[in-house]
Short mmCIF file of all heavy atoms in Angstrom, two decimals:
data_model
loop_
_atom_site.label_atom_id
_atom_site.label_comp_id
_atom_site.label_asym_id
_atom_site.label_seq_id
_atom_site.Cartn_x
_atom_site.Cartn_y
_atom_site.Cartn_z
N ASP A 20 93.20 97.46 101.81
CA ASP A 20 93.42 98.02 103.14
C ASP A 20 94.40 99.17 102.98
O ASP A 20 95.55 98.98 102.58
CB ASP A 20 93.98 96.96 104.07
CG ASP A 20 94.05 97.42 105.52
OD1 ASP A 20 94.11 98.64 105.75
OD2 ASP A 20 94.05 96.56 106.41
N CYS A 21 93.93 100.36 103.28
CA CYS A 21 94.71 101.58 103.02
C CYS A 21 95.36 102.15 104.27
O CYS A 21 95.86 103.28 104.25
CB CYS A 21 93.81 102.62 102.38
SG CYS A 21 93.04 102.05 100.86
N TYR A 22 95.31 101.42 105.36
CA TYR A 22 95.91 101.86 106.61
C TYR A 22 96.97 100.85 107.03
O TYR A 22 96.95 99.71 106.60
CB TYR A 22 94.85 101.97 107.71
CG TYR A 22 93.77 102.97 107.44
CD1 TYR A 22 92.50 102.57 107.06
CD2 TYR A 22 94.02 104.33 107.54
CE1 TYR A 22 91.50 103.50 106.81
CE2 TYR A 22 93.04 105.26 107.29
CZ TYR A 22 91.78 104.84 106.93
OH TYR A 22 90.80 105.75 106.68
N GLY A 23 97.85 101.25 107.88
CA GLY A 23 98.77 100.30 108.47
C GLY A 23 100.23 100.55 108.19
O GLY A 23 100.60 101.27 107.26
N THR A 24 101.02 99.92 109.00
CA THR A 24 102.47 100.07 108.94
C THR A 24 103.07 99.69 107.59
O THR A 24 103.97 100.38 107.11
CB THR A 24 103.12 99.25 110.07
OG1 THR A 24 102.55 99.66 111.31
CG2 THR A 24 104.61 99.46 110.11
N PRO A 25 102.61 98.60 106.93
CA PRO A 25 103.25 98.25 105.66
C PRO A 25 103.19 99.38 104.63
O PRO A 25 104.14 99.58 103.87
CB PRO A 25 102.45 97.03 105.18
CG PRO A 25 101.91 96.42 106.42
CD PRO A 25 101.63 97.58 107.34
N ILE A 26 102.11 100.12 104.64
CA ILE A 26 101.98 101.25 103.70
C ILE A 26 102.91 102.38 104.10
O ILE A 26 103.59 102.97 103.24
CB ILE A 26 100.50 101.69 103.62
CG1 ILE A 26 99.67 100.58 103.00
CG2 ILE A 26 100.36 103.00 102.83
CD1 ILE A 26 98.19 100.70 103.20
N SER A 27 102.96 102.68 105.39
CA SER A 27 103.85 103.74 105.87
C SER A 27 105.31 103.41 105.57
O SER A 27 106.08 104.28 105.16
CB SER A 27 103.68 103.94 107.37
OG SER A 27 102.38 104.35 107.68
N LEU A 28 105.69 102.17 105.77
CA LEU A 28 107.06 101.75 105.51
C LEU A 28 107.41 101.89 104.02
O LEU A 28 108.48 102.37 103.67
CB LEU A 28 107.28 100.31 105.95
CG LEU A 28 107.26 100.05 107.46
CD1 LEU A 28 107.31 98.55 107.75
CD2 LEU A 28 108.42 100.76 108.14
N ARG A 29 106.50 101.48 103.16
CA ARG A 29 106.74 101.58 101.71
C ARG A 29 106.86 103.03 101.29
O ARG A 29 107.74 103.40 100.50
CB ARG A 29 105.60 100.87 100.96
CG ARG A 29 105.75 100.84 99.45
CD ARG A 29 106.93 99.94 99.07
NE ARG A 29 107.08 99.82 97.66
CZ ARG A 29 106.93 98.67 96.99
NH1 ARG A 29 106.62 97.58 97.62
NH2 ARG A 29 107.11 98.63 95.71
N ALA A 30 105.96 103.88 101.80
CA ALA A 30 106.00 105.31 101.46
C ALA A 30 107.31 105.94 101.92
O ALA A 30 107.94 106.71 101.19
CB ALA A 30 104.80 106.02 102.07
N LYS A 31 107.73 105.60 103.12
CA LYS A 31 108.98 106.13 103.66
C LYS A 31 110.16 105.69 102.80
O LYS A 31 111.04 106.49 102.47
CB LYS A 31 109.17 105.67 105.11
CG LYS A 31 110.40 106.23 105.77
CD LYS A 31 110.50 105.78 107.21
CE LYS A 31 111.77 106.36 107.84
NZ LYS A 31 111.91 105.95 109.22
N LYS A 32 110.17 104.42 102.42
CA LYS A 32 111.24 103.86 101.59
C LYS A 32 111.33 104.58 100.23
O LYS A 32 112.42 104.83 99.73
CB LYS A 32 111.00 102.37 101.38
CG LYS A 32 112.04 101.67 100.55
CD LYS A 32 111.70 100.19 100.43
CE LYS A 32 112.69 99.47 99.52
NZ LYS A 32 112.33 98.06 99.36
N GLU A 33 110.17 104.90 99.66
CA GLU A 33 110.13 105.53 98.35
C GLU A 33 110.15 107.06 98.42
O GLU A 33 110.22 107.73 97.38
CB GLU A 33 108.91 105.06 97.56
CG GLU A 33 108.98 103.59 97.19
CD GLU A 33 107.87 103.17 96.26
OE1 GLU A 33 107.29 104.02 95.54
OE2 GLU A 33 107.57 101.95 96.23
N GLY A 34 110.04 107.60 99.63
CA GLY A 34 110.06 109.05 99.79
C GLY A 34 108.84 109.75 99.24
O GLY A 34 108.93 110.88 98.75
N ILE A 35 107.68 109.08 99.32
CA ILE A 35 106.44 109.68 98.85
C ILE A 35 105.36 109.55 99.92
O ILE A 35 105.59 108.92 100.96
CB ILE A 35 105.96 109.05 97.51
CG1 ILE A 35 105.72 107.54 97.67
CG2 ILE A 35 106.97 109.32 96.41
CD1 ILE A 35 105.22 106.86 96.41
N LYS A 36 104.19 110.11 99.67
CA LYS A 36 103.10 110.07 100.63
C LYS A 36 102.43 108.69 100.63
O LYS A 36 102.32 108.05 99.58
CB LYS A 36 102.05 111.12 100.28
CG LYS A 36 102.53 112.53 100.38
CD LYS A 36 101.41 113.47 99.96
CE LYS A 36 101.92 114.90 99.86
NZ LYS A 36 100.88 115.77 99.31
N PRO A 37 101.94 108.27 101.81
CA PRO A 37 101.20 107.00 101.86
C PRO A 37 100.02 106.94 100.88
O PRO A 37 99.77 105.88 100.30
CB PRO A 37 100.72 106.93 103.31
CG PRO A 37 101.75 107.70 104.07
CD PRO A 37 102.13 108.84 103.15
N ASP A 38 99.34 108.07 100.67
CA ASP A 38 98.21 108.08 99.73
C ASP A 38 98.66 107.71 98.31
O ASP A 38 97.91 107.09 97.56
CB ASP A 38 97.53 109.45 99.70
CG ASP A 38 96.69 109.70 100.93
OD1 ASP A 38 96.48 108.77 101.72
OD2 ASP A 38 96.23 110.85 101.10
N ASP A 39 99.87 108.12 97.94
CA ASP A 39 100.38 107.79 96.60
C ASP A 39 100.61 106.28 96.47
O ASP A 39 100.33 105.69 95.42
CB ASP A 39 101.69 108.54 96.32
CG ASP A 39 101.48 110.05 96.26
OD1 ASP A 39 100.36 110.50 95.92
OD2 ASP A 39 102.45 110.79 96.56
N ILE A 40 101.12 105.67 97.54
CA ILE A 40 101.30 104.21 97.55
C ILE A 40 99.94 103.52 97.43
O ILE A 40 99.75 102.62 96.60
CB ILE A 40 102.02 103.77 98.85
CG1 ILE A 40 103.44 104.32 98.91
CG2 ILE A 40 102.00 102.25 99.00
CD1 ILE A 40 104.39 103.78 97.89
N VAL A 41 98.99 103.96 98.24
CA VAL A 41 97.66 103.36 98.25
C VAL A 41 97.01 103.45 96.87
O VAL A 41 96.50 102.46 96.34
CB VAL A 41 96.76 104.05 99.30
CG1 VAL A 41 95.30 103.73 99.08
CG2 VAL A 41 97.19 103.65 100.70
N ASN A 42 97.04 104.62 96.27
CA ASN A 42 96.39 104.80 94.97
C ASN A 42 97.05 103.95 93.89
O ASN A 42 96.36 103.36 93.04
CB ASN A 42 96.37 106.27 94.58
CG ASN A 42 95.45 107.07 95.47
OD1 ASN A 42 94.45 106.56 95.99
ND2 ASN A 42 95.76 108.33 95.68
N ARG A 43 98.36 103.86 93.92
CA ARG A 43 99.08 103.06 92.92
C ARG A 43 98.67 101.59 93.01
O ARG A 43 98.30 100.97 92.02
CB ARG A 43 100.58 103.17 93.12
CG ARG A 43 101.36 102.28 92.15
CD ARG A 43 102.83 102.07 92.49
NE ARG A 43 103.51 103.28 92.92
CZ ARG A 43 104.62 103.28 93.66
NH1 ARG A 43 105.17 102.13 94.04
NH2 ARG A 43 105.19 104.40 94.03
N TYR A 44 98.74 101.04 94.22
CA TYR A 44 98.49 99.60 94.35
C TYR A 44 97.01 99.25 94.31
O TYR A 44 96.66 98.17 93.84
CB TYR A 44 99.21 99.04 95.58
CG TYR A 44 100.70 99.03 95.32
CD1 TYR A 44 101.54 99.94 95.95
CD2 TYR A 44 101.25 98.16 94.40
CE1 TYR A 44 102.91 99.95 95.68
CE2 TYR A 44 102.61 98.17 94.12
CZ TYR A 44 103.42 99.06 94.76
OH TYR A 44 104.77 99.07 94.47
N HIS A 45 96.15 100.14 94.78
CA HIS A 45 94.72 99.85 94.66
C HIS A 45 94.35 99.73 93.18
O HIS A 45 93.65 98.79 92.79
CB HIS A 45 93.87 100.93 95.34
CG HIS A 45 92.41 100.74 95.12
ND1 HIS A 45 91.68 99.76 95.76
CD2 HIS A 45 91.54 101.37 94.29
CE1 HIS A 45 90.42 99.80 95.36
NE2 HIS A 45 90.32 100.77 94.46
N SER A 46 94.83 100.66 92.37
CA SER A 46 94.54 100.60 90.92
C SER A 46 95.09 99.31 90.32
O SER A 46 94.43 98.67 89.49
CB SER A 46 95.17 101.80 90.21
OG SER A 46 94.58 102.99 90.65
N GLU A 47 96.28 98.92 90.74
CA GLU A 47 96.87 97.68 90.25
C GLU A 47 96.02 96.48 90.67
O GLU A 47 95.80 95.56 89.87
CB GLU A 47 98.29 97.55 90.79
CG GLU A 47 99.06 96.37 90.25
CD GLU A 47 100.46 96.28 90.83
OE1 GLU A 47 101.25 97.23 90.63
OE2 GLU A 47 100.74 95.26 91.49
N PHE A 48 95.55 96.47 91.92
CA PHE A 48 94.72 95.37 92.40
C PHE A 48 93.44 95.26 91.59
O PHE A 48 93.04 94.16 91.18
CB PHE A 48 94.34 95.56 93.88
CG PHE A 48 95.47 95.49 94.85
CD1 PHE A 48 95.22 95.72 96.19
CD2 PHE A 48 96.78 95.21 94.48
CE1 PHE A 48 96.24 95.66 97.14
CE2 PHE A 48 97.80 95.15 95.41
CZ PHE A 48 97.53 95.37 96.75
N VAL A 49 92.78 96.39 91.37
CA VAL A 49 91.52 96.39 90.61
C VAL A 49 91.75 95.80 89.22
O VAL A 49 90.98 94.95 88.75
CB VAL A 49 90.94 97.82 90.52
CG1 VAL A 49 89.81 97.89 89.51
CG2 VAL A 49 90.47 98.29 91.89
N GLU A 50 92.83 96.21 88.57
CA GLU A 50 93.14 95.71 87.23
C GLU A 50 93.46 94.21 87.27
O GLU A 50 93.02 93.45 86.41
CB GLU A 50 94.32 96.49 86.64
CG GLU A 50 94.60 96.17 85.20
CD GLU A 50 93.45 96.47 84.25
OE1 GLU A 50 92.64 97.37 84.53
OE2 GLU A 50 93.36 95.77 83.21
N CYS A 51 94.19 93.78 88.27
CA CYS A 51 94.54 92.37 88.42
C CYS A 51 93.29 91.51 88.60
O CYS A 51 93.13 90.50 87.93
CB CYS A 51 95.49 92.20 89.61
SG CYS A 51 96.00 90.49 89.92
N PHE A 52 92.39 91.93 89.49
CA PHE A 52 91.18 91.15 89.73
C PHE A 52 90.28 91.14 88.49
O PHE A 52 89.62 90.14 88.21
CB PHE A 52 90.42 91.68 90.95
CG PHE A 52 91.14 91.44 92.25
CD1 PHE A 52 91.33 92.46 93.16
CD2 PHE A 52 91.64 90.18 92.56
CE1 PHE A 52 92.00 92.23 94.36
CE2 PHE A 52 92.31 89.94 93.75
CZ PHE A 52 92.49 90.97 94.65
N LYS A 53 90.29 92.23 87.76
CA LYS A 53 89.52 92.30 86.51
C LYS A 53 90.08 91.29 85.50
O LYS A 53 89.32 90.52 84.90
CB LYS A 53 89.59 93.72 85.95
CG LYS A 53 88.77 93.96 84.73
CD LYS A 53 88.88 95.42 84.32
CE LYS A 53 88.20 95.69 83.01
NZ LYS A 53 88.39 97.09 82.58
N LYS A 54 91.40 91.27 85.33
CA LYS A 54 92.02 90.33 84.39
C LYS A 54 91.82 88.88 84.80
O LYS A 54 91.68 88.00 83.94
CB LYS A 54 93.52 90.62 84.27
CG LYS A 54 93.84 91.86 83.47
CD LYS A 54 95.34 92.10 83.39
CE LYS A 54 95.64 93.34 82.59
NZ LYS A 54 97.10 93.61 82.55
N LEU A 55 91.80 88.61 86.11
CA LEU A 55 91.60 87.26 86.60
C LEU A 55 90.12 86.85 86.62
O LEU A 55 89.80 85.70 86.87
CB LEU A 55 92.18 87.11 88.01
CG LEU A 55 93.71 87.16 88.10
CD1 LEU A 55 94.16 87.22 89.55
CD2 LEU A 55 94.33 85.96 87.38
N GLY A 56 89.23 87.81 86.37
CA GLY A 56 87.80 87.51 86.30
C GLY A 56 87.11 87.35 87.64
O GLY A 56 86.08 86.70 87.74
N PHE A 57 87.68 87.95 88.70
CA PHE A 57 87.02 87.89 90.00
C PHE A 57 85.65 88.53 89.91
O PHE A 57 85.44 89.48 89.16
CB PHE A 57 87.87 88.59 91.07
CG PHE A 57 88.87 87.68 91.75
CD1 PHE A 57 89.90 87.10 91.03
CD2 PHE A 57 88.78 87.41 93.10
CE1 PHE A 57 90.82 86.27 91.64
CE2 PHE A 57 89.69 86.58 93.73
CZ PHE A 57 90.72 86.01 93.00
N SER A 58 84.72 88.03 90.71
CA SER A 58 83.32 88.46 90.60
C SER A 58 82.86 89.32 91.77
O SER A 58 81.73 89.20 92.23
CB SER A 58 82.42 87.24 90.46
OG SER A 58 82.48 86.44 91.63
N TYR A 59 83.74 90.20 92.26
CA TYR A 59 83.35 91.08 93.36
C TYR A 59 82.13 91.91 92.98
O TYR A 59 82.04 92.42 91.86
CB TYR A 59 84.48 92.05 93.71
CG TYR A 59 85.68 91.42 94.37
CD1 TYR A 59 86.93 91.46 93.76
CD2 TYR A 59 85.57 90.81 95.61
CE1 TYR A 59 88.04 90.89 94.37
CE2 TYR A 59 86.66 90.23 96.22
CZ TYR A 59 87.90 90.28 95.59
OH TYR A 59 88.98 89.71 96.20
#
């Protein structure tokens, strides 16, 4: 989920754009699900 207040708050806290937060964590999620063997 790439929309919403939690992303805006994190971006504001880190002083970066919301898209940067989204891209960082989406990539992390994909890698995590791959390592755990999820079958999406």
Side-chain angles (χ1 to χ4, degrees):
D20 188 336
C21 303
Y22 298 105
T24 305
I26 294 164
S27 298
L28 291 173
R29 183 68 177 244
K31 183 178 180 181
K32 180 179 176 183
E33 293 188 23
I35 60 178
K36 296 178 188 173
D38 286 350
D39 295 333
I40 295 293
V41 165
N42 291 331
R43 177 194 317 158
Y44 289 107
H45 174 74
S46 296
E47 185 180 300
F48 293 177
V49 168
E50 188 61 28
C51 180
F52 291 130
K53 184 177 174 184
K54 285 180 180 178
L55 291 171
F57 271 63
S58 64
Y59 290 118

